[in-house]
Amino acid sequence: MIYITRKEHFNAAHKLFNLHWTEEENRKAFGKCANPNFHGHNYEIYVTIKGKINPETGFVMNLFDLSDILKNEVVEHLDHKNLNLDIEYFKTHLPSIENLCVYVWNILEPKIKEFGAQLHCIKIQETDNNFAEYYGE
Amino acid sequence: MIYITRKEHFNAAHKLFNLHWTEEENRKAFGKCANPNFHGHNYEIYVTIKGKINPETGFVMNLFDLSDILKNEVVEHLDHKNLNLDIEYFKTHLPSIENLCVYVWNILEPKIKEFGAQLHCIKIQETDNNFAEYYGE
Amino acid sequence: MIYITRKEHFNAAHKLFNLHWTEEENRKAFGKCANPNFHGHNYEIYVTIKGKINPETGFVMNLFDLSDILKNEVVEHLDHKNLNLDIEYFKTHLPSIENLCVYVWNILEPKIKEFGAQLHCIKIQETDNNFAEYYGE
Amino acid sequence: MIYITRKEHFNAAHKLFNLHWTEEENRKAFGKCANPNFHGHNYEIYVTIKGKINPETGFVMNLFDLSDILKNEVVEHLDHKNLNLDIEYFKTHLPSIENLCVYVWNILEPKIKEFGAQLHCIKIQETDNNFAEYYGE
Amino acid sequence: MIYITRKEHFNAAHKLFNLHWTEEENRKAFGKCANPNFHGHNYEIYVTIKGKINPETGFVMNLFDLSDILKNEVVEHLDHKNLNLDIEYFKTHLPSIENLCVYVWNILEPKIKEFGAQLHCIKIQETDNNFAEYYGE
Amino acid sequence: MIYITRKEHFNAAHKLFNLHWTEEENRKAFGKCANPNFHGHNYEIYVTIKGKINPETGFVMNLFDLSDILKNEVVEHLDHKNLNLDIEYFKTHLPSIENLCVYVWNILEPKIKEFGAQLHCIKIQETDNNFAEYYGE
């Protein structure tokens, strides 16, 4: 069993704001992340898959294919977008890095399977100091 | 003459959109950077000052003071903000990294002088691949 | 189960020197890390916690709280210090990155629990080329 | 149980080309990685070992020893080489990062054991965006 | 006058070997960089241009255009190639980072001019520890 | 004229403390950098030289030679040392990054000349956020 990882990135705006809470409750929970007009990040996304090495290619899965899936199914939809306003999922889920990981996992997991490999981990880095990881369970 | 540099960062939303142009003209010039609901970045800002070494401290200027000025005069106002909506200057100037450099230079240049040092360069990095530098002229 | 990680850093002096050994034995085991007058590092510390996502916040645990705990309970005590001379624990344990991980784990583990989350890993990086990880067992 | 990691690097040329396939099949599977005259990378190699802390040294294993093993047994043989032409193993295995991990594991695993520690993971990074990890099974 | 920089990268094989010298002379001058079967690098290339800010766009020059020029005129030709065997210029010039900078300058300088901007610097990084810069004179 | 840069690093302890000042004056000027038992850093040192390309080697100066000079004349003396206690120069000059740059310039400038090249800049980075540069005048 070998693990391979592909990194891509996207730039997006978001805010952390619970619509069922008051302004003050949001400020208390999320600080300046709740600022009304949004802020943004350079997000880095790491997708790790696992599987056996195919002796004919030396690959678990072709990293070009993995990169294509990641770009077409995820980056294309999130890049240069406002997560709160433009992405359906984040109308009912706060766009935290934790929820972003789950969102990406749910999109990629079936796609990776079609290539005979297995999704292992989604890691999303929001700043140099903060990241989240999700292993699907 | 010695040059010293302090780096700080801020996270902000912006879009590149010229209000005197049509949607289509904006799309042509700015691509997805013109997306209506904004996107965002982790901005890194490098301030370089120059001066003589004070033999009593070994410093051109105390880096704590430089960091404080940078945080109080710049980062505080830009961090977790929407550059287009929240910052007066960017209502009449597009929030490109070029204009961001000029904006920060104009704020910091007189402040650095009060400390007997001289502002040399403002460098702002928007992504791993893009940055701008301004030397004040 | 989601994992989130917060990075902080501190700068400290240390040396690796076993007081029960001769100068020569220390030199043999630790090389120039045993130099008598200390040397130092920029330490980077990564704290990973795990837990369920709170649907109201999108968080496993508020990263501001995690950052505060890490700064108040760890960074505050180690930053700009001499690990051998200033930190009680390292009078009886060598200040290796392995022992630093255990030291930080023991401090943070009960604090994280108070927030309903679970400490998963302490990673400490001493140089670009060396780091240690501890999972509490 | 503590995990420690040492990073080293080497620069090498390679191509991905299955000798049992036609030019066109290779191009389809490997894209420009199949270019006939080779290309190359700055490879970063991370070796993680695990074990108990020796209370006399604070070490799981001396990182100088780990670095020496890694340099003498791996880096020395791969650095500034052509993986396809100069390394016996890659005459029968494609020099993908997956196979590189297995190759390095097989060399280091018995060497680490001689020091009373246990090899945990080989991670090899080929570009900023691609890496593989192998845990020996 | 503002300076903006765009970074791109390419992966290539090369060796440093003066065809007019003996094997031994090459070994003495270039060490393992003269190994016969080539080695390779992940090259990072930074292109800095200078000019006035266009008030309608906030740009000195559109970074998408700069990126396109750099990709089409340079990266496309060097990426996944063998500099010594595949690039005409390096049949008569050694593929050092110094000569790479001059080679790239000569290609880009007239292209940048067509966009009304001015090429300021080509910087090429071969490893974490080595880079060259060329300002055109 | 081409500029080439070589990076090396060293780890050292230091404190910023003016012996002619009171404890309180030191605390006011240097904050926790004045802590009595020292702290430390991973220093990165960049040496930039300039010159013409030698057409026989493609080099301004052999980077192996530059690296050797830097290691033998600078790193060897500073690495794993206490700058205040172990280095003569810092008994009369505070070990700030500004003074470190001047100290390294004075050592390297005549050595580089012997190789027919010219020292252009010494840059020393103390933390991710702070660095100094010296151009010899």
Side-chain angles (χ1 to χ4, degrees):
Chain A
M1 192 70 96
I2 296 265
Y3 299 76
I4 59 167
T5 299
R6 177 76 190 175
K7 183 178 83 169
E8 299 289 348
H9 65 271
F10 61 92
N11 308 315
H14 82 150
K15 67 176 170 182
L16 297 177
F17 195 93
N18 185 324
L19 297 165
H20 306 292
W21 290 357
T22 65
E23 179 74 27
E24 200 184 314
E25 287 169 321
N26 274 289
R27 180 64 57 180
K28 190 160 174 292
F30 301 117
K32 55 190 176 178
C33 293
N35 280 354
N37 289 327
F38 311 101
H39 61 282
H41 296 291
N42 302 334
Y43 290 94
E44 301 204 325
I45 175 168
Y46 298 77
V47 176
T48 302
I49 66 158
K50 60 184 174 187
K52 285 196 158 47
I53 298 176
N54 177 339
E56 292 207 313
T57 59
F59 289 163
V60 170
M61 173 181 170
N62 195 318
L63 279 166
F64 293 115
D65 292 332
L66 180 54
S67 172
D68 279 352
I69 294 172
L70 184 47
K71 281 179 183 155
N72 295 335
E73 304 295 333
V74 176
V75 171
E76 183 72 19
H77 302 292
L78 301 181
D79 192 30
H80 282 72
K81 295 291 172 56
N82 184 309
L83 300 181
N84 301 67
L85 302 180
D86 297 330
I87 308 297
E88 206 53 37
Y89 187 84
F90 296 113
K91 294 185 173 160
T92 51
H93 298 79
L94 280 98
S96 63
I97 40 176
E98 288 93 327
N99 278 335
L100 264 167
C101 282
V102 175
Y103 169 77
V104 173
W105 177 280
N106 290 340
I107 291 170
L108 291 185
E109 203 268 343
K111 301 282 172 194
I112 301 296
K113 250 189 202 145
E114 293 173 19
F115 281 83
Q118 205 179 331
L119 185 55
H120 175 66
C121 181
I122 301 296
K123 172 179 164 181
I124 295 181
Q125 180 133 8
E126 197 177 58
T127 70
D128 264 8
N129 300 322
N130 295 342
F131 60 85
E133 292 160 298
Y134 182 51
Y135 296 84
E137 51 189 23
Chain B
M1 191 72 94
I2 295 265
Y3 299 77
I4 59 167
T5 299
R6 176 76 191 174
K7 183 178 84 169
E8 299 289 347
H9 66 272
F10 61 93
N11 308 313
H14 82 151
K15 67 175 169 182
L16 297 178
F17 194 92
N18 184 324
L19 297 165
H20 306 292
W21 291 356
T22 65
E23 179 75 28
E24 202 184 312
E25 288 169 320
N26 274 289
R27 180 64 57 182
K28 190 158 174 294
F30 301 118
K32 54 190 176 177
C33 293
N35 279 354
N37 289 327
F38 311 99
H39 62 281
H41 296 290
N42 302 335
Y43 290 94
E44 301 205 326
I45 177 168
Y46 298 77
V47 176
T48 302
I49 65 157
K50 60 184 173 187
K52 286 196 158 46
I53 298 176
N54 176 339
E56 292 208 313
T57 59
F59 289 163
V60 170
M61 173 182 170
N62 195 319
L63 279 165
F64 293 115
D65 292 332
L66 180 55
S67 172
D68 279 353
I69 294 172
L70 184 48
K71 282 180 182 155
N72 294 335
E73 305 295 332
V74 177
V75 171
E76 183 72 18
H77 302 293
L78 302 181
D79 191 32
H80 283 71
K81 294 290 171 55
N82 183 309
L83 300 180
N84 301 66
L85 301 180
D86 296 332
I87 309 296
E88 206 53 37
Y89 187 84
F90 296 113
K91 294 187 173 160
T92 51
H93 298 77
L94 280 98
S96 63
I97 40 176
E98 289 93 327
N99 278 334
L100 263 166
C101 283
V102 175
Y103 168 77
V104 173
W105 177 281
N106 290 340
I107 291 169
L108 291 185
E109 204 267 342
K111 301 282 171 193
I112 301 297
K113 250 188 202 144
E114 294 173 17
F115 281 83
Q118 205 178 332
L119 185 56
H120 174 67
C121 181
I122 301 295
K123 172 180 164 181
I124 295 182
Q125 180 134 6
E126 197 177 58
T127 70
D128 264 7
N129 300 322
N130 296 342
F131 60 86
E133 291 159 297
Y134 182 50
Y135 296 84
E137 50 189 25
Chain C
M1 190 73 92
I2 296 265
Y3 299 76
I4 58 166
T5 299
R6 175 76 190 176
K7 182 178 83 169
E8 299 289 348
H9 66 272
F10 61 93
N11 309 314
H14 82 149
K15 66 176 170 182
L16 297 178
F17 194 92
N18 185 325
L19 297 165
H20 306 292
W21 290 357
T22 65
E23 180 74 29
E24 201 185 311
E25 286 169 322
N26 274 289
R27 181 63 56 177
K28 191 160 174 292
F30 302 118
K32 54 191 177 178
C33 293
N35 280 353
N37 289 327
F38 310 101
H39 61 282
H41 295 291
N42 302 333
Y43 290 94
E44 301 205 324
I45 176 168
Y46 298 77
V47 176
T48 303
I49 66 159
K50 60 184 173 187
K52 285 195 158 48
I53 298 176
N54 176 339
E56 293 207 311
T57 59
F59 290 161
V60 171
M61 173 180 169
N62 196 316
L63 278 165
F64 292 115
D65 292 333
L66 180 54
S67 173
D68 279 352
I69 293 171
L70 184 47
K71 280 180 182 153
N72 295 334
E73 305 294 333
V74 176
V75 171
E76 182 72 20
H77 301 294
L78 300 181
D79 191 32
H80 283 71
K81 294 291 172 57
N82 183 309
L83 301 180
N84 302 67
L85 301 181
D86 296 331
I87 307 298
E88 205 54 34
Y89 187 82
F90 296 114
K91 294 185 173 160
T92 51
H93 297 77
L94 280 99
S96 63
I97 41 177
E98 289 93 327
N99 278 334
L100 264 167
C101 283
V102 175
Y103 169 78
V104 172
W105 177 281
N106 290 340
I107 291 170
L108 291 184
E109 203 269 341
K111 302 282 171 192
I112 301 297
K113 251 189 201 142
E114 293 173 18
F115 281 82
Q118 204 178 333
L119 184 55
H120 175 66
C121 181
I122 301 296
K123 172 179 164 182
I124 295 182
Q125 180 134 7
E126 196 178 59
T127 70
D128 264 7
N129 300 321
N130 295 341
F131 60 85
E133 291 159 298
Y134 182 52
Y135 295 83
E137 51 188 23
Chain D
M1 192 71 94
I2 296 264
Y3 298 77
I4 59 167
T5 299
R6 175 77 190 173
K7 183 178 81 167
E8 300 288 348
H9 66 272
F10 61 93
N11 308 314
H14 81 149
K15 66 176 170 182
L16 296 177
F17 194 92
N18 185 324
L19 297 166
H20 306 292
W21 290 356
T22 65
E23 180 73 29
E24 201 185 312
E25 287 169 320
N26 274 289
R27 180 64 56 180
K28 190 160 176 293
F30 302 117
K32 55 189 175 178
C33 293
N35 279 355
N37 289 326
F38 310 101
H39 61 282
H41 296 291
N42 303 334
Y43 290 94
E44 300 204 325
I45 175 167
Y46 298 76
V47 176
T48 302
I49 66 160
K50 60 184 173 187
K52 286 196 157 49
I53 298 176
N54 176 339
E56 292 207 312
T57 59
F59 290 162
V60 171
M61 174 181 167
N62 195 317
L63 279 166
F64 292 115
D65 292 332
L66 181 54
S67 172
D68 279 351
I69 293 172
L70 184 46
K71 281 179 182 156
N72 295 334
E73 305 294 333
V74 176
V75 171
E76 182 72 18
H77 301 293
L78 301 181
D79 191 31
H80 283 71
K81 293 292 170 56
N82 184 309
L83 300 179
N84 301 65
L85 301 181
D86 296 331
I87 308 297
E88 206 51 37
Y89 187 83
F90 296 114
K91 294 185 174 162
T92 50
H93 297 78
L94 280 98
S96 64
I97 41 176
E98 289 93 327
N99 278 334
L100 263 167
C101 283
V102 174
Y103 168 78
V104 173
W105 177 280
N106 291 340
I107 290 170
L108 290 185
E109 203 267 342
K111 301 283 171 193
I112 301 296
K113 248 186 203 148
E114 293 173 18
F115 281 83
Q118 206 179 331
L119 185 56
H120 175 66
C121 181
I122 301 295
K123 172 179 165 181
I124 295 181
Q125 180 133 7
E126 197 178 59
T127 70
D128 263 9
N129 300 323
N130 295 342
F131 60 85
E133 291 159 298
Y134 183 50
Y135 296 83
E137 51 188 22
Chain E
M1 191 71 93
I2 295 265
Y3 299 76
I4 58 167
T5 299
R6 175 75 189 174
K7 182 179 83 168
E8 299 288 348
H9 66 272
F10 62 93
N11 309 315
H14 82 150
K15 67 175 170 183
L16 296 177
F17 195 93
N18 185 324
L19 297 165
H20 306 293
W21 290 356
T22 65
E23 180 73 30
E24 203 184 312
E25 287 169 323
N26 275 288
R27 180 63 57 181
K28 191 160 174 292
F30 301 118
K32 54 191 178 178
C33 293
N35 279 354
N37 289 326
F38 310 101
H39 61 282
H41 296 292
N42 302 334
Y43 290 94
E44 301 204 323
I45 176 167
Y46 297 77
V47 177
T48 302
I49 66 160
K50 59 185 174 188
K52 287 197 156 45
I53 298 176
N54 176 338
E56 292 208 313
T57 59
F59 289 163
V60 171
M61 173 182 169
N62 196 317
L63 279 165
F64 293 115
D65 293 331
L66 180 54
S67 172
D68 279 352
I69 294 172
L70 184 47
K71 281 180 182 154
N72 295 335
E73 305 294 332
V74 176
V75 171
E76 183 70 20
H77 302 292
L78 301 181
D79 191 30
H80 283 72
K81 293 291 171 55
N82 183 310
L83 301 180
N84 301 66
L85 300 181
D86 296 332
I87 308 297
E88 207 52 37
Y89 186 84
F90 296 114
K91 293 184 175 164
T92 51
H93 298 77
L94 280 98
S96 64
I97 40 176
E98 288 93 327
N99 278 334
L100 264 166
C101 282
V102 174
Y103 168 79
V104 172
W105 178 280
N106 290 339
I107 291 170
L108 291 184
E109 203 269 341
K111 301 282 170 192
I112 301 298
K113 252 188 201 144
E114 294 173 17
F115 281 83
Q118 204 178 333
L119 184 56
H120 174 67
C121 181
I122 301 295
K123 172 179 165 182
I124 295 182
Q125 180 134 6
E126 196 177 59
T127 70
D128 265 8
N129 300 323
N130 295 342
F131 61 84
E133 291 159 297
Y134 182 51
Y135 295 84
E137 51 187 24
Chain F
M1 190 72 92
I2 296 265
Y3 299 75
I4 59 168
T5 299
R6 175 77 191 176
K7 182 178 83 168
E8 299 289 347
H9 65 272
F10 61 92
N11 308 312
H14 82 150
K15 66 175 171 183
L16 296 177
F17 195 92
N18 184 324
L19 297 165
H20 306 292
W21 290 357
T22 65
E23 180 73 30
E24 202 184 310
E25 287 170 322
N26 275 288
R27 181 63 56 181
K28 190 159 174 296
F30 301 118
K32 54 190 176 177
C33 292
N35 279 355
N37 289 326
F38 311 100
H39 61 282
H41 296 290
N42 302 334
Y43 290 94
E44 300 205 325
I45 176 168
Y46 297 77
V47 177
T48 302
I49 65 159
K50 59 184 173 187
K52 286 196 157 48
I53 299 177
N54 176 339
E56 293 209 312
T57 58
F59 289 161
V60 171
M61 174 182 168
N62 196 317
L63 279 165
F64 292 115
D65 292 332
L66 181 55
S67 172
D68 280 352
I69 293 172
L70 184 47
K71 280 179 182 156
N72 294 334
E73 305 294 332
V74 176
V75 171
E76 182 73 17
H77 301 293
L78 301 181
D79 190 32
H80 283 71
K81 294 292 171 56
N82 184 309
L83 300 180
N84 301 66
L85 301 180
D86 297 331
I87 309 296
E88 206 53 36
Y89 186 85
F90 296 113
K91 294 186 173 162
T92 50
H93 298 78
L94 280 98
S96 63
I97 39 176
E98 289 93 325
N99 279 334
L100 262 167
C101 282
V102 175
Y103 168 77
V104 172
W105 176 281
N106 290 340
I107 291 170
L108 290 185
E109 203 269 342
K111 302 282 172 194
I112 301 297
K113 251 189 201 145
E114 293 173 18
F115 281 83
Q118 206 179 332
L119 185 55
H120 175 67
C121 181
I122 300 297
K123 172 179 164 182
I124 295 181
Q125 180 134 8
E126 196 177 59
T127 70
D128 264 8
N129 300 323
N130 295 342
F131 60 86
E133 290 159 297
Y134 182 51
Y135 295 84
E137 51 189 23

